[in-house]
Amino acid sequence: MANSYDSKAIEVLSGLDPVKKRPGMYTDTNNPNHLIQEVLDNSVDEALSGYCSSIKVSIMKDGFIQVVDDGRGMPVDIHPDHKVSGVELIMCKLHAGAKFSGDEYNFSGGLHGVGVSVVNALSDELEVHIRRDSKEHSITFNNGDKKKELHQIGEVGARNSGTTIKFKPNPKYFETTEVQINHLKHLLKAKAVLCPGLTIDFFYEKKSERLRWFYEDGLKGYLSESSDGVELILQDSILCSKSSEAQEVEFVLNWASRPLKDRLNETYVNLIPTAQGGSHLNGFKSGLLEAVKEFCDYRNLLPKGLKINAEDVISNAYFVVSSKLQNPQFAGQIKERLDSKDHASFVSTITKDALSIWFNTNTGEGEKIAELAISSAQIRAKASRVVERKKTFKGPALPGKLSDCNSEDLNETELFLVEGDSAGGSAKQARERSFQAIMPLRGKILNTWDLESAEIIKSQEIKNLSTAIGVMPGNDDISSLRYGKICILADADSDGLHIATLLCALFLRHYRPLVQQGRIYVSMPPLYRIDCGKDVAYALDDEQREVIVSNLKSKKGKPKINIQRFKGLGEMNPSQLRETVMDPQSRQLVCLSISSSDNANSLMDLLLSKKRAPDRKEWLEKKGALAEIK
């Protein structure tokens, strides 16, 4: 095995090779639906800018997929710097597009300039036909490589312009090349709804199915159609649309009279569906909550001591939120969640102002909405009574073997999530009962990174944890939080690090407000205890141990040094545990934090996402030898 590492070992991926090497970083490799969306988004961007009124999507029997629009057509002239045609640059080079400057497109979904080139890289065959300036041109690619040069194939009418992209996904990059037709139809319908005046035609050759969507009244008609047969509280749904120079938001809102499992609750950014929500949804929920609370306070509707949260207000709601931004920041390339922080406050302010006016002019219907929220809050409060903080003199044990503290002051309370009953027993003896609580966890928790919040609560361990901290996963309202600090306390070995990673993933994905407020901490337990006479020191790792030993050896005489390696927290006695990880005066805690500039989501994807298993394997094959065996 070669051990040398020099410049020759450095590999530079060019062109579309990065996509072919790691397709999971650029698209959803379960099926080709996301490839269709990338092509579609380019056509929709033309429609958003007023240049396109018709899009046609066809799924052929032979595996080909075709998207046709009547926009301006991709550029066919030669780029002054790269010396190739505009269409070739778009199809063959990552991060090439007309959407970075904002000059050509005010709002666009294809922000990163990688979408359609990814489609090209992951297709067996791809053919582009461009109608522009009364001429029709064609260019063909195989597996991302140019097969036929751009050439003119005919003439068209002066008003006949647009782009046709026909491609066949390469099966080696996807679990299946079968298109999920129902998901695609839902997407196409939503695009037509969100872009009034745009006609979208769909043809599914296998079943000879043809559909057309065209909405003149946009969101309001969509909600009405989607809630057909449902008893809605408001006769006329609330519709709001506001814009500024760089962003805008439009939403439609109504409430069902009773809880329903399948209800309309969709969010979009520049017409791209954001399945995991993000800033726009958070802002919408925040503004909605503030408006309802203000209405309840003004009319004295809230029972004494009852607090409503965003989930109480939105639990029965039917809504669609459509945001448009000049520079949206998404959590990943497939754009499932919006991370543009400033947009949340914009949406919140617009939502709160619009709904405050509506509540004050529709007091009768407003009181019905308030009653729904109050009823939900009362049910939640009743359910939470079974997990009220246990007093020292009475009450049953809380879920998850929680040993609670006495204080209820968030400024001082701490919850330690401890690995196993053995360490939990020592931690209970080591803690300061007045403000420190202990909750032992049973081994490795569920990997929640790829899962929805509603799904993970089915795990008993996570349900117990959620009950203990007082906040359900995915809930942006953390007013019911029971502890000011939540500390992950796991062994310093590889198993402990794995458990800590899984818990960090849980909080990053499903309890992000807690992370953003700096309430999640990772304890740093020592791996070694070093005794030298009356001196006692602790080391987190081998390097720190060597420094401590070296300093002790430099003392006069020849002191006898005794080194103890801890196998785990359960091996520490309570006094050692108190001194090293629980006493605020001597412990080491690291606050879990995130910022818009780091790559936390990408890193956690590589570590934990099922879709990234091939990438992990490749990383281990290349980097595994760098790990030290201890």
Side-chain angles (χ1 to χ4, degrees):
M1 179 178 175
N3 293 319
S4 63
Y5 173 60
D6 52 27
S7 297
K8 290 185 291 184
I10 298 172
E11 181 182 6
V12 179
L13 299 177
S14 60
L16 299 179
D17 288 343
V19 184
K20 298 176 185 178
K21 283 272 189 180
R22 295 182 177 87
M25 290 179 64
Y26 296 88
T27 191
D28 181 355
T29 54
N30 289 320
N31 55 64
N33 276 58
H34 188 252
L35 295 190
I36 302 173
Q37 184 178 321
E38 291 287 8
V39 179
L40 180 66
D41 284 343
N42 280 4
S43 297
V44 171
D45 287 342
E46 285 284 285
L48 278 174
S49 299
Y51 299 109
C52 170
S53 61
S54 171
I55 300 173
K56 298 177 181 179
V57 179
S58 303
I59 311 298
M60 307 299 189
K61 285 181 182 178
D62 57 6
F64 275 94
I65 299 161
Q66 181 172 278
V67 179
V68 183
D69 69 47
D70 62 352
R72 289 171 290 181
M74 287 185 180
V76 294
D77 56 315
I78 302 301
H79 193 279
D81 297 325
H82 295 277
K83 308 304 179 187
V84 296
S85 65
V87 61
E88 185 177 339
L89 202 59
I90 291 169
M91 301 304 300
C92 295
K93 193 169 182 62
L94 293 176
H95 308 292
K99 296 155 190 178
F100 299 106
S101 65
D103 294 338
E104 291 295 327
Y105 297 91
N106 190 29
F107 302 119
S108 68
L111 173 73
H112 303 138
V114 299
V116 78
S117 56
V118 168
V119 178
N120 190 20
L122 303 181
S123 296
D124 268 337
E125 299 177 54
L126 186 143
E127 195 175 316
V128 186
H129 286 262
I130 298 159
R131 301 174 303 284
R132 188 180 175 115
D133 301 326
S134 301
K135 298 174 183 177
E136 184 170 7
H137 295 79
S138 175
I139 186 171
T140 309
F141 303 88
N142 279 125
N143 296 307
D145 300 319
K146 184 170 60 177
K147 182 181 177 183
K148 287 185 181 179
E149 294 282 353
L150 179 69
H151 59 286
Q152 185 180 336
I153 59 173
E155 295 185 355
V156 294
R159 293 186 178 182
N160 185 355
S161 64
T163 303
T164 299
I165 295 181
K166 185 178 181 181
F167 65 98
K168 187 175 186 179
N170 190 329
K172 81 175 186 178
Y173 296 117
F174 299 90
E175 291 182 18
T176 175
T177 54
E178 288 291 320
V179 176
Q180 290 188 308
I181 298 297
N182 288 336
H183 286 180
L184 177 59
K185 288 194 287 190
H186 179 79
L187 175 70
L188 296 176
K189 179 180 179 181
K191 297 285 189 186
V193 168
L194 296 167
C195 196
L198 173 65
T199 300
I200 297 185
D201 289 286
F202 172 69
F203 174 53
Y204 185 28
E205 188 179 27
K206 188 176 180 180
K207 293 188 176 180
S208 298
E209 181 181 13
R210 293 183 185 274
L211 293 170
R212 169 172 286 185
W213 295 281
F214 175 79
Y215 289 85
E216 279 186 312
D217 53 355
L219 291 183
K220 211 163 189 177
Y222 184 39
L223 189 145
S224 177
E225 183 180 300
S226 301
S227 59
D228 188 34
V230 176
E231 185 181 342
L232 297 178
I233 288 181
L234 309 183
Q235 186 172 355
D236 290 317
S237 298
I238 302 169
L239 182 67
C240 173
S241 180
K242 296 286 182 181
S243 63
S244 69
E245 194 172 309
Q247 53 191 336
E248 66 179 66
V249 64
E250 181 180 12
F251 66 80
V252 65
L253 173 66
N254 208 322
W255 282 266
S257 57
R258 58 186 179 84
L260 295 169
K261 184 178 180 182
D262 297 318
R263 57 189 175 87
L264 183 68
N265 54 351
E266 297 175 356
T267 60
Y268 297 83
V269 174
N270 296 357
L271 277 66
I272 295 171
T274 43
Q276 296 180 12
S279 308
H280 51 333
L281 177 58
N282 295 342
F284 175 70
K285 289 164 74 171
S286 173
L288 176 56
L289 175 61
E290 289 302 310
V292 173
K293 284 170 67 176
E294 182 182 79
F295 179 73
C296 288
D297 290 343
Y298 182 73
R299 301 186 70 83
N300 199 25
L301 299 176
L302 278 177
K304 188 175 180 180
L306 186 70
K307 292 183 179 180
I308 59 173
N309 62 27
E311 290 306 310
D312 297 326
V313 176
I314 212 166
S315 58
N316 284 27
Y318 271 67
F319 65 88
V320 179
V321 178
S322 175
S323 286
K324 291 173 185 170
L325 306 176
Q326 283 188 352
N327 295 295
Q329 302 298 314
F330 293 99
Q333 172 55 27
I334 60 173
K335 308 182 181 97
E336 288 186 310
R337 187 173 70 255
L338 180 68
D339 273 355
S340 298
K341 307 305 178 191
D342 294 343
H343 190 59
S345 59
F346 172 79
V347 176
S348 178
T349 301
I350 297 297
T351 304
K352 198 258 182 184
D353 291 349
L355 289 176
S356 292
I357 294 170
W358 184 90
F359 275 113
N360 287 322
T361 54
N362 299 272
T363 54
E365 289 180 313
E367 287 188 357
K368 292 180 182 179
I369 305 306
E371 285 172 12
L372 275 181
I374 291 168
S375 175
S376 174
Q378 288 172 330
I379 293 170
R380 177 174 51 79
K382 184 178 180 180
S384 70
R385 288 192 194 110
V386 300
V387 295
E388 281 182 352
R389 179 159 273 116
K390 181 179 65 176
K391 303 304 178 185
T392 55
F393 53 87
K394 66 177 183 178
L398 290 172
K401 301 179 182 179
L402 175 68
S403 296
D404 211 353
C405 57
N406 299 332
S407 174
E408 297 186 18
D409 183 0
L410 279 186
N411 292 322
E412 65 173 5
T413 51
E414 300 175 347
L415 173 65
F416 285 84
L417 305 177
V418 184
E419 176 187 346
D421 291 336
S422 176
S426 295
K428 288 174 192 176
Q429 296 177 59
R431 69 175 173 145
E432 178 57 56
R433 184 187 292 268
S434 63
F435 66 94
Q436 291 179 327
I438 307 297
M439 181 172 172
L441 299 176
R442 192 172 50 191
K444 294 182 175 68
I445 69 160
L446 179 71
N447 179 359
T448 62
W449 188 251
D450 282 338
L451 302 177
E452 296 293 328
S453 296
E455 187 176 354
I456 69 168
I457 202 66
K458 296 174 185 176
S459 163
Q460 189 62 45
E461 201 73 7
I462 293 173
K463 184 178 181 181
N464 290 343
L465 173 59
S466 303
T467 301
I469 66 176
V471 179
M472 291 295 110
N475 193 348
D476 290 326
D477 180 8
I478 59 173
S479 59
S480 56
L481 182 66
R482 303 177 71 241
Y483 302 97
K485 280 191 178 86
I486 299 170
C487 309
I488 299 168
L489 179 52
D491 291 346
D493 59 12
S494 57
D495 277 342
L497 292 174
H498 188 189
I499 291 170
T501 301
L502 291 172
L503 285 167
C504 287
L506 171 69
F507 288 116
L508 279 170
R509 179 67 89 190
H510 303 283
Y511 292 94
R512 188 163 286 237
L514 296 183
V515 178
Q516 291 170 335
Q517 287 193 13
R519 297 200 179 272
I520 308 299
Y521 291 81
V522 180
S523 299
M524 304 297 288
L527 198 59
Y528 298 98
R529 171 182 167 132
I530 300 113
D531 293 88
C532 181
K534 293 182 179 180
D535 294 329
V536 177
Y538 294 91
L540 295 177
D541 51 32
D542 290 355
E543 186 178 349
Q544 200 173 63
R545 179 199 64 189
E546 294 305 318
V547 171
I548 293 170
V549 170
S550 177
N551 290 337
L552 290 172
K553 284 182 177 179
S554 66
K555 291 186 176 182
K556 289 183 179 181
K558 292 185 178 179
K560 182 180 179 182
I561 298 173
N562 181 50
I563 300 174
Q564 177 189 0
R565 187 187 193 281
F566 297 113
K567 293 180 180 177
L569 296 170
E571 191 178 312
M572 289 184 178
N573 62 46
S575 63
Q576 292 172 335
L577 203 56
R578 183 186 301 115
E579 182 181 3
T580 58
V581 294
M582 305 197 78
D583 186 350
Q585 302 302 318
S586 57
R587 70 190 180 189
Q588 294 190 55
L589 290 179
V590 175
C591 183
L592 183 63
S593 63
I594 51 173
S595 69
S596 57
S597 61
D598 65 29
N599 63 341
N601 286 320
S602 175
L603 180 60
M604 296 302 281
D605 259 333
L606 178 61
L607 288 173
L608 297 172
S609 177
K610 291 180 180 178
K611 299 175 186 176
R612 301 291 303 278
D615 298 333
R616 275 195 298 279
K617 180 181 177 184
E618 183 176 340
W619 186 90
L620 287 168
E621 288 172 348
K622 288 185 176 180
K623 308 282 189 178
L626 300 177
E628 295 180 9
I629 300 173
K630 296 181 180 179

